[in-house]
């Protein structure tokens, strides 16, 4: 188990679940919580999980300054909040802090490195990059009430260094998740695991919004939507290959099978849309489309999905402001 002080920034459905599992296994985990801070401080954190329910009374903080410096930071923020990274990392990250981001999409490691440089935590981008580990989490988990997380399926994590090959720390962190009951493996290529996750995220997050309240069961049981999801997956595979990542075609069938087991699962983007919250459009849809365009790879379905979801997100944000 990782021996240092672990801070969870973005303790929602993902961060709170993984942080709670690590804490239950004996790790020294501290949670930065804003909207749920008072509820968790008074009543604790409750995890309702297919792996077994449990309650936890962890140390919680209302601000990054209260949280203070950590040896390992687990970033579970929605990517729409990445603009706050400089403010959040300034009091919590030192030049020796390891930062693990489990955020969705592309560009998050770059945003963290830029924040470390802007805060003068380190002097340059290459130095900052060496502090960062990227991870993807295939997890069905939702926050159903303040301080209550419902974990309904899956949970495995893949980790890779942002800069260079896996190191002893990479394996130590992966082993900590394993000891906490979470399947976790270390991979050589961060780009590979990011694009593999997008093969699922792009169709099922995007269609969950664009097809109007379309959970995974709705998508899979509608022949047209199922075919569209399958073809979107194919475009993501082509975009990944153009970005230097080779992913076997068999992944599509494997992900479809895993999705069948989820039942009527609502993606995080669908839930955010239904609750009037900003969507992770750029990281999940925009950046993959831009990379495909730069490589000269036609991805017409991805482009259409990006345009539709971006428009719906803009309308949502206008309603929020009004």
């Amino acid at each position: 188990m990782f021996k240092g002080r672990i801070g969870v920034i973005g303790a929602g459905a993902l961060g709170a679940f993984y942080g709670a599992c690590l804490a239950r296994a004996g790790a020294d985990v501290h949670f930065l919580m804003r909207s749920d801070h008072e509820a968790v401080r008074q009543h604790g954190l409750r995890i309702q999980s297919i792996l077994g329910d449990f309650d936890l009374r962890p140390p919680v903080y209302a601000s990054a300054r209260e949280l203070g410096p950590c040896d390992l930071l687990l970033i579970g923020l929605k990517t729409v909040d990445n603009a706050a990274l400089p403010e959040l990392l300034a009091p919590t990250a030192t030049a020796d802090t390891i930062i693990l981001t489990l955020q969705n999409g592309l560009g998050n490691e770059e945003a963290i490195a830029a924040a470390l440089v802007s805060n003068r935590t380190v002097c340059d981008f290459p130095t900052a990059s060496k502090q960062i580990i990227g991870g993807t989490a295939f997890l069905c988990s939702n926050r159903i009430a303040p301080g209550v997380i419902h974990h309904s399926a899956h949970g495995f994590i893949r980790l890779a260094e942002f800069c260079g090959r896996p190191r002893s720390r990479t394996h130590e962190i992966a082993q900590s998740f394993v000891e906490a009951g979470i399947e976790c493996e270390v991979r050589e290529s961060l780009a590979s695991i990011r694009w593999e996750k997008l093969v699922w995220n792009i169709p099922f997050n995007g269609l969950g919004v664009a097809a109007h309240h379309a959970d995974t069961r709705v998508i899979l049981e509608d022949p047209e939507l199922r075919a569209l999801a399958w073809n979107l997956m194919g475009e993501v595979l082509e975009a990944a290959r153009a970005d230097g990542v080779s992913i076997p075609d068999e992944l599509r069938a494997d992900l479809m099978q895993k999705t069948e087991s989820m039942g009527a699962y609502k993606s995080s983007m669908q839930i955010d849309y239904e609750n009037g919250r900003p969507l992770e459009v750029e990281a999940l849809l925009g950046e993959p489309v831009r990379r495909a365009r730069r490589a000269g790879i036609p991805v017409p379905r991805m482009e259409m999905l990006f345009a539709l979801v971006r428009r719906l997100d803009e309308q949502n944000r206008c309603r929020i402001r009004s």
Side-chain angles (χ1 to χ4, degrees):
M1 183 60 63
F2 187 85
K3 300 302 182 185
R5 189 173 193 262
I6 301 173
V8 178
I9 295 179
L14 181 146
F17 173 72
Y18 288 124
C21 289
L22 289 169
R24 183 177 62 164
D28 180 22
V29 186
H30 301 253
F31 294 80
L32 173 59
M33 291 183 167
R34 290 180 173 170
S35 60
D36 286 7
H37 172 267
E38 197 59 27
V40 175
R41 189 184 66 81
Q42 290 188 19
H43 307 294
L45 184 61
R46 178 156 183 77
I47 306 296
Q48 300 174 353
S49 172
I50 56 168
L51 302 176
D53 298 350
F54 65 96
D55 296 299
L56 193 70
R57 283 195 170 270
V60 294
Y61 307 83
S63 73
R65 190 164 300 280
E66 288 179 21
L67 172 60
C70 296
D71 300 296
L72 170 64
L73 288 172
L74 193 161
I75 308 296
L77 289 175
K78 291 294 179 72
T79 60
V80 296
D81 295 322
N82 277 355
L85 282 169
E87 172 192 349
L88 293 169
L89 295 180
T92 57
T94 71
D96 297 317
T97 301
I98 304 166
I99 303 175
L100 167 61
T101 172
L102 294 175
Q103 296 169 288
N104 280 324
L106 302 176
N108 298 305
E109 291 80 15
E110 291 86 348
I112 291 169
L116 292 174
V117 174
S118 70
N119 288 340
R120 299 184 180 178
T121 304
V122 295
C123 59
D124 55 40
F125 193 92
T127 304
S129 299
K130 294 176 183 177
Q131 293 185 231
I132 302 168
I133 298 173
T136 56
F138 200 82
L139 173 72
C140 296
S141 179
N142 298 124
R143 172 186 172 277
I144 58 174
V148 183
I149 305 299
H150 179 233
H151 167 227
S152 58
H154 305 295
F156 67 84
I157 295 173
R158 294 189 176 107
L159 303 180
E161 291 282 339
F162 180 41
C163 180
R165 300 187 61 193
R167 298 157 61 177
S168 59
R169 70 182 190 184
T170 330
H171 293 283
E172 180 187 4
I173 293 168
Q175 182 59 30
S176 297
F177 281 113
V178 171
E179 292 174 15
I182 305 297
E183 181 185 346
C184 185
E185 64 174 332
V186 174
R187 298 278 289 271
E188 292 285 327
S189 168
L190 179 59
S192 176
I193 64 174
R194 286 265 172 246
W195 277 106
E196 286 176 11
K197 179 74 180 292
L198 285 168
V199 176
W200 190 91
N201 266 343
I202 285 176
F204 287 98
N205 275 277
L207 290 175
V209 174
H212 190 63
H213 306 295
D215 58 42
T216 52
R217 179 176 291 165
V218 168
I219 293 169
L220 293 179
E221 291 182 352
D222 183 304
E224 300 298 331
L225 289 177
R226 187 184 185 111
L228 180 54
W230 179 263
N231 289 326
L232 279 162
M233 286 181 169
E235 288 191 357
V236 180
L237 292 176
E238 290 300 316
R241 288 165 188 152
D243 201 36
V245 174
S246 180
I247 302 174
D249 287 330
E250 291 76 17
L251 181 63
R252 284 200 284 180
D254 179 60
L255 290 177
M256 281 293 195
Q257 184 178 19
K258 284 184 170 68
T259 309
E260 294 276 7
S261 70
M262 294 179 185
Y265 177 71
K266 292 184 178 183
S267 70
S268 59
M269 185 177 281
Q270 182 185 348
I271 291 172
D272 285 341
Y273 180 68
E274 291 176 354
N275 285 279
R277 295 191 289 261
L279 308 183
E280 298 181 293
V281 181
E282 291 301 323
L284 284 177
L285 298 170
E287 184 59 22
V289 164
R290 286 188 288 272
R291 293 194 187 189
R293 285 172 179 166
R294 287 197 294 269
I297 300 298
V299 286
R301 296 176 185 86
M302 286 172 59
E303 289 182 327
M304 180 176 288
L305 191 61
F306 173 42
L308 292 172
V309 176
R310 183 178 60 184
R311 171 64 176 162
L312 290 168
D313 182 45
E314 289 172 354
Q315 291 180 320
N316 240 8
R317 291 177 189 238
C318 287
R319 282 194 290 270
I320 295 169
R321 287 194 293 269
S322 63

